[in-house]
Amino acid sequence: MQRILIVLALAILLLPAPHPGKPESVQAGALLVRAQPLPLSSVDAALRHVGALDYLGGWALESANPGFGGISALLVAPPGDVLGLSDSGILMGFHVGPGEAARRPFIAPLPIRAQDRYRPWWAWDSESLAHDPVSDRYWVGFELQQAVCRYGPGFARVEACRTWPEIMAWPKTGSIESLARLPDGRFLVIGEMGMTADGKHDSLLFAGDPAEKDTPDPIHLRYTPPKGYRPTDAVAIDAHHLLVLNRRLTLEDLFTATIAIVELPDRLTPGTELKARTLARLAPPLLADNFEGIAVTREAGRTIIWVVSDDNHEFFQRTLLLKFGLPDGEL
């Protein structure tokens, strides 16, 4: 009975409504994060592999700051400078692992345009994040509002926002969970619960900036996740490989996740199927929770994959940050 109640509580937390756990307001300032190292498995502390991936480290993250947590999107710069974005429009920057941090740890709300100040705090359901390292601009995908917004370098200001009828047709929760910027400047948005007629996940390929008013209409693609899972985030490794994080909630295992890879064809045309191949599955006795964010870095010529979980600001969940190495033969 207790497990059934937990599943019901988790399912309710995934609905598009405010809940008491979310912080109503956060002041910009310093952030102290405690990072407790964790083994990959609760029954084999020496386990260093899962599926095709090498386990390089994992941490349970905690902070006394009430705004910390709820991380739904992730960017990482080597060797371990983390930028997390919560589903309440809150940015969190901190460092994990060895090496020196490139910036001071901080927490701050996203900037808001003057015309958006009437919106309630819980309406800023920011679920996805992309970055252009050349211009240092950022893009955020918002559920509920069904909008994509672009921010200037350092998140100094909102530069543009746009809603799209193709996204408005998706459920207000389970829409822009995944927002990936491809190396050539195109953007891919995968609908978590926006479905095609044949049961695939509706995906939109934008020829340019999805926040810009002059960008042409996107074309529809179709994403096929591992069976039973739904996509929660995506990031491009290069021009031909996309990583997708997928989630499932069941009575038996509660939250489980898969890290999957999609091989992108040279030409993406309307209706192209993006079929995921599982690299690793995170389920008990391995570390498992509500994984919602994925990021990619390079260290010593190797592709590094990071995933983070959204604790929904609930005592029975955790903010887990995991680091994996992708063997060269998997690309």
Side-chain angles (χ1 to χ4, degrees):
M1 178 60 72
Q2 183 180 17
R3 182 170 289 264
I4 293 174
L5 292 176
I6 291 175
V7 171
L8 289 174
L10 292 171
I12 291 171
L13 290 173
L14 298 179
L15 294 176
H19 59 81
K22 280 190 176 184
E24 293 194 23
S25 63
V26 169
Q27 297 296 319
L31 177 69
L32 177 63
V33 175
R34 297 181 296 276
Q36 176 64 41
L38 297 172
L40 175 62
S41 170
S42 61
V43 297
D44 182 2
L47 185 66
R48 306 302 297 178
H49 304 279
V50 53
L53 303 182
D54 300 324
Y55 182 62
L56 303 180
W59 301 266
L61 306 177
E62 295 180 346
S63 175
N65 191 306
F68 182 80
I71 299 176
S72 295
L74 181 70
L75 292 172
V76 182
D81 287 327
V82 179
L83 180 65
L85 176 62
S86 83
D87 54 10
S88 301
I90 300 168
L91 291 164
M92 291 157 272
F94 53 92
H95 182 86
V96 296
E100 294 294 325
R103 62 177 174 236
R104 293 181 178 179
F106 73 93
I107 188 167
L110 285 171
I112 299 174
R113 300 180 301 176
Q115 62 264 41
D116 292 327
R117 288 174 183 165
Y118 72 93
R119 298 182 185 273
W121 60 269
W122 54 265
W124 297 102
D125 191 4
S126 42
E127 295 287 350
S128 49
L129 175 65
H131 180 233
D132 173 19
V134 176
S135 67
D136 194 30
R137 285 179 165 82
Y138 299 83
W139 288 260
V140 174
F142 292 95
E143 292 186 346
L144 298 184
Q145 299 179 43
Q146 306 292 66
V148 178
C149 293
R150 185 182 73 242
Y151 297 80
F155 280 98
R157 66 185 183 92
V158 185
E159 294 185 337
C161 289
R162 184 171 176 181
T163 58
W164 293 84
E166 293 86 353
I167 296 175
M168 294 292 288
W170 295 346
K172 285 190 175 182
T173 179
S175 62
I176 319 178
E177 288 274 353
S178 304
L179 172 66
R181 184 181 185 274
L182 305 183
D184 61 6
R186 292 179 295 172
F187 286 77
L188 181 64
V189 175
I190 304 174
E192 185 191 7
M193 292 190 289
M195 310 302 291
T196 62
D198 60 353
K200 312 297 184 185
H201 289 263
D202 193 17
S203 305
L204 303 174
L205 180 67
F206 293 87
D209 183 349
E212 192 58 53
K213 64 180 181 179
D214 296 329
T215 297
D217 293 343
I219 65 171
H220 289 264
L221 311 177
R222 300 173 302 140
Y223 172 67
T224 303
K227 187 176 181 180
Y229 285 82
R230 294 184 182 275
T232 57
D233 202 7
V235 63
I237 299 178
D238 53 35
H240 297 289
H241 298 91
L242 183 77
L243 286 174
V244 185
L245 182 63
N246 304 271
R247 169 179 64 194
R248 183 170 69 176
L249 175 62
T250 66
L251 184 61
E252 180 181 2
D253 293 324
L254 299 181
F255 279 117
T256 62
T258 62
I259 300 170
I261 191 168
V262 174
E263 294 188 17
L264 300 174
D266 291 331
R267 189 162 175 259
L268 291 167
T269 57
T272 297
E273 181 182 3
L274 307 177
K275 191 170 184 178
R277 172 171 60 88
T278 297
L279 295 174
R281 180 174 180 265
L282 299 173
L286 306 185
L287 292 170
D289 212 299
N290 180 30
F291 286 105
E292 286 202 13
I294 189 168
V296 168
T297 60
R298 297 283 292 179
E299 294 183 14
R302 187 183 192 188
T303 299
I304 305 299
I305 302 171
W306 305 75
V307 296
V308 69
S309 66
D310 174 2
D311 69 348
N312 291 302
H313 298 281
E314 295 294 344
F315 70 92
F316 52 83
Q317 291 183 264
R318 294 187 292 177
T319 300
L320 301 178
L321 178 67
L322 310 185
K323 180 181 181 182
F324 300 95
L326 178 68
D328 292 336
E330 292 300 326
L331 291 182

